[in-house]
Amino acid sequence: GSKVKVSDGYFIVDGNHEECSDEHGFVSRQFTRRHKIPENVDESALSSNLSSNGVLIFKAPKKDVAQAQGRDINITQTNEPAAKPKGTDKIQQPG
């Protein structure tokens, strides 16, 4: 069987292939793979599925970017021109 764990920003897959026989006897293989979890991924919500043809699929939502970088401010359109401060239309020449 295979085992997946998350540690220090990596997901680690420990697996082994079932024992099988060849012309020399029985063979079994073990492996460990480490993959870096991207910074923008919520590793607490990481899940994995093993497909019927042996493909291991990882899924995780992206972190809420708004929380990481402040918050969004809604923009309201007034459909009116902005009022200019008084005195900006006239250019005063130094006397």
Side-chain angles (χ1 to χ4, degrees):
S2 296
K3 188 172 67 173
V4 179
K5 63 183 178 181
V6 174
S7 175
D8 297 328
Y10 286 85
F11 59 87
I12 299 154
V13 181
D14 288 319
N16 56 51
H17 291 281
E18 302 273 323
E19 208 174 69
C20 61
S21 61
D22 65 11
E23 65 270 19
H24 304 292
F26 287 97
V27 179
S28 70
R29 287 193 297 167
Q30 258 185 304
F31 64 91
T32 299
R33 293 214 173 148
R34 281 165 49 104
H35 297 280
K36 181 91 176 100
I37 298 171
E39 295 290 326
N40 62 343
V41 166
D42 184 357
E43 65 181 64
S44 64
L46 193 67
S47 65
S48 64
N49 298 307
L50 186 62
S51 70
S52 60
N53 60 345
V55 177
L56 191 59
I57 299 167
F58 290 93
K59 290 182 182 176
K62 287 188 176 182
K63 285 180 183 169
D64 188 348
V65 177
Q67 283 182 346
Q69 301 175 350
R71 63 183 185 86
D72 290 337
I73 296 171
N74 289 332
I75 297 171
T76 305
Q77 287 191 329
T78 62
N79 295 324
E80 294 173 15
K84 288 185 188 170
K86 287 184 179 157
T88 55
D89 292 333
K90 295 176 185 162
I91 298 170
Q92 292 186 341
Q93 299 286 335

